[in-house]
Amino acid sequence: MKKCLCAMLAFVLCLGCFACGEGGTRGGRSGKTLTYLVSSTTDVHAVKLQGIVDKFNEQVKDEGYKIEIESPGGDYYQSLGNLFASQSEPDIFLMDGGNFNAYARLGYLAPLDGYLEASQALGTEDLWDINSYYRYDRDTGIGSGQMYGLIKDFSPDFMLLYNKTMLDNYNKKVAADEKIVISDSEPLTWTQFYRYASKIQKEMSISYGTSIGFESTRHLMEMIQQSGGKMFESDNATLNIGNAGVRSAFEYFCALQCDHASFAAYPSQNGGKAPASYTTGASVAEQQAFKQQKMFSIFNGLWSFYTYDFDSAGFEVGIAPAPIPDGSTEPYMGCSGMIANCISSRSKNKDVAFRFLEYYMTEGMKELAGIGFNIPGNKTVASSDVFLNPANEKVKARNNYFYDWVQAGKVHPIEYNSRISFNKLETHLNTQLSKYVDNKLSFDDLLTQLQKALKQEITGA
């Protein structure tokens, strides 16, 4: 997800207008038509979503209400921010964890607790614990206060997906003591994965051993959490580069991507070629490169099987827990997306908007659960046969595999810093990392310069 900083600028520009209470959403100006803004999606998923909206519209037709779906195209959160800036925001919209802080802090989101308490169909008992991420209090931050979003679906985003057929063929070529075993229950360590991805990349003559290019910053945040470290010191402004766990996460992160990186735990292999040299600048999506067998492994969630039809790839896709730091034993998977449905605090039709979310999270979610797109945000639906016992055996096995990790408490939300937007964090990281990749910064200088840039961004000093 490439996010543009314009969205955050738009937040600031519209704050004064927002505070005065003038203007209103498109739903407010056009009477009883509510706008639901969604990001672009696959054709089948779009048809399902439209079907859910159509059924709800039938229920409220006699009252004169109607939900209309819109998709902005391009960068979703930039577009959403621009709509808020022009006071033409949708009544209902999607929200991710990395942008939630800014919207909640500026008062753009309607609180949902009262609606949940009054609802006969949906209550807090139907929500996963992970949904508490969308609680916010101006004084204490995330995880407390009012609920402002309902997670529509989620999964551990960075599970290790690999070409099992390629692994089997590799093992046929090598001696017994060189064979590689990837367990579906015991995670590899960081050093094991780095070594294995490099070996298969070289021996099978493929372009890439793995990829973390399209969500590299969120990968890094997961790695830091896996290490037990905190990305920032207690002031939430100073990058915690003195922490051993944070430093080890950065070493692993750099070793995977940078050809000249060489650390004690990750000696340069494969003729100096890093297994994940593939980056966000690549012209082919990492999932497509994976299907084309140019890449041994990727890190994706359950959603990618449905979206990219990995079942038609022509090889068996293996699934394993995300690799963990050396010396660790407990599986630890990060959840970065957790996309939620939210309601604008300025919508003139908040009651109807919640009635739609209530329908979406119950009856609508049963329809979406049947296609195996992701773990339903309504855990009552997620634990039902519609999700855990579908007719397709492959879908059934995958759904249960991902669901079991969540039930086992091994899936954790990515922890974002409430003092800086994810977009700005990502921009600063990529700026300094590109200098390191170009051999313009040493590893220590990379950390120091990144620490300086982030602190200046957060504090202005």
Side-chain angles (χ1 to χ4, degrees):
M1 300 178 190
K2 299 177 185 175
K3 309 291 195 307
C4 179
L5 298 179
C6 295
M8 292 306 300
L9 177 60
F11 297 157
V12 177
L13 290 175
C14 70
L15 181 56
C17 297
F18 186 89
C20 71
E22 297 178 357
T25 65
R26 281 174 286 188
R29 290 201 306 271
S30 59
K32 294 188 172 183
T33 297
L34 289 77
T35 302
Y36 179 26
L37 194 74
V38 303
S39 55
S40 58
T41 184
T42 58
D43 291 341
V44 176
H45 189 265
V47 170
K48 284 280 187 182
L49 181 59
Q50 186 63 59
I52 292 167
V53 169
D54 290 344
K55 290 178 181 178
F56 177 79
N57 284 343
E58 188 65 27
Q59 291 186 6
V60 296
K61 179 175 63 176
D62 292 343
E63 301 172 60
Y65 292 106
K66 181 181 181 182
I67 304 284
E68 289 186 349
I69 296 175
E70 289 188 9
S71 179
D75 187 286
Y76 178 83
Y77 292 100
Q78 178 186 352
S79 299
L80 182 60
N82 290 339
L83 289 171
F84 270 102
S86 63
Q87 300 186 54
S88 57
E89 73 269 14
D91 297 88
I92 308 164
F93 49 90
L94 304 181
M95 181 55 53
D96 77 336
N99 287 279
F100 170 65
N101 283 315
Y103 280 88
R105 186 170 62 251
L106 295 176
Y108 289 170
L109 312 180
L112 304 178
D113 291 86
Y115 292 109
L116 288 167
E117 291 170 7
S119 175
Q120 298 297 308
L122 180 72
T124 54
E125 68 278 3
D126 295 308
L127 305 179
W128 294 93
D129 290 343
I130 208 169
N131 207 115
S132 292
Y133 187 90
Y134 285 95
R135 290 193 178 279
Y136 187 84
D137 183 273
R138 288 174 183 262
D139 296 322
T140 58
I142 289 176
S144 61
Q146 292 264 30
M147 185 83 78
Y148 290 98
L150 301 178
I151 293 175
K152 65 184 185 69
D153 53 51
F154 71 102
S155 68
D157 294 299
F158 307 128
M159 298 291 274
L160 174 59
L161 309 185
Y162 63 97
N163 187 326
K164 189 176 184 302
T165 303
M166 186 180 292
L167 176 63
D168 292 341
N169 290 335
Y170 167 86
N171 283 333
K172 291 174 183 177
K173 292 177 57 176
V174 300
D177 60 351
E178 289 291 316
K179 293 184 186 300
I180 293 174
V181 176
I182 299 179
S183 168
D184 63 0
S185 58
E186 300 294 328
L188 299 173
T189 65
W190 288 351
T191 56
Q192 283 177 325
F193 176 72
Y194 175 81
R195 187 170 68 251
Y196 292 168
S198 297
K199 281 187 176 181
I200 292 175
Q201 177 184 6
K202 181 179 181 180
E203 296 300 325
M204 303 305 289
S205 299
I206 55 174
S207 301
Y208 309 101
T210 192
S211 170
I212 61 172
F214 281 88
E215 291 291 357
S216 59
T217 306
R218 288 182 169 90
H219 274 286
L220 173 62
M221 296 168 78
E222 178 193 45
M223 294 166 191
I224 290 173
Q225 288 179 217
Q226 288 177 324
S227 76
K230 293 287 185 180
M231 191 169 194
F232 289 88
E233 296 180 12
S234 58
D235 62 357
N236 266 346
T238 307
L239 188 67
N240 197 10
I241 60 177
N243 180 272
V246 173
R247 185 179 177 90
S248 68
F250 267 96
E251 288 183 353
Y252 175 53
F253 177 75
C254 289
L256 283 174
Q257 295 181 90
C258 183
D259 291 350
H260 67 75
S262 184
F263 303 96
Y266 313 104
S268 181
Q269 298 198 14
N270 215 6
K273 181 71 171 175
S277 295
Y278 184 81
T279 68
T280 52
S283 59
V284 178
E286 58 186 345
Q287 295 89 356
Q288 294 298 339
F290 180 59
K291 285 183 70 173
Q292 294 165 9
Q293 303 199 61
K294 297 177 180 178
M295 184 176 291
F296 169 64
S297 62
I298 57 176
F299 293 93
N300 271 201
L302 178 59
W303 60 272
S304 62
F305 284 88
Y306 173 80
T307 303
Y308 294 95
D309 189 17
F310 287 154
D311 290 334
S312 69
F315 57 85
E316 184 180 354
V317 179
I319 313 175
I324 56 176
D326 292 66
S328 302
T329 56
E330 285 296 312
Y332 189 112
M333 279 76 80
C335 186
S336 70
M338 303 185 302
I339 304 300
N341 282 311
C342 298
I343 298 172
S344 168
S345 58
R346 288 197 301 191
S347 172
K348 301 296 194 298
N349 298 303
K350 287 191 282 291
D351 290 353
V352 178
F354 182 80
R355 285 167 61 187
F356 171 71
L357 295 194
E358 181 183 61
Y359 181 80
Y360 180 102
M361 292 289 291
T362 53
E363 297 306 312
M365 194 151 286
K366 292 175 185 176
E367 296 187 33
L368 293 171
I371 64 177
F373 176 75
N374 236 342
I375 299 173
N378 184 334
K379 67 179 181 182
T380 304
V381 175
S383 62
S384 69
D385 282 347
V386 69
F387 181 69
L388 296 180
N389 195 29
N392 186 304
E393 288 299 320
K394 282 189 175 180
V395 173
K396 176 180 177 179
R398 285 196 294 264
N399 289 359
N400 279 270
Y401 183 77
F402 279 80
Y403 174 89
D404 287 346
W405 283 118
V406 175
Q407 283 287 72
K410 306 302 182 182
V411 179
H412 309 271
I414 297 298
E415 298 168 2
Y416 296 91
N417 186 336
S418 61
R419 298 189 67 186
I420 184 172
S421 74
F422 175 76
N423 304 324
K424 290 182 179 179
L425 173 64
E426 185 175 48
T427 297
H428 283 296
L429 177 62
N430 288 341
T431 297
Q432 301 304 325
L433 182 65
S434 65
K435 297 177 185 176
Y436 173 73
V437 171
D438 291 340
N439 249 331
K440 296 177 181 178
L441 288 178
S442 68
F443 178 72
D444 287 328
D445 286 342
L446 163 66
L447 298 182
T448 302
Q449 291 301 315
L450 181 59
Q451 183 188 63
K452 181 180 178 180
L454 290 174
K455 190 160 190 175
Q456 185 174 21
E457 179 70 55
I458 293 171
T459 67

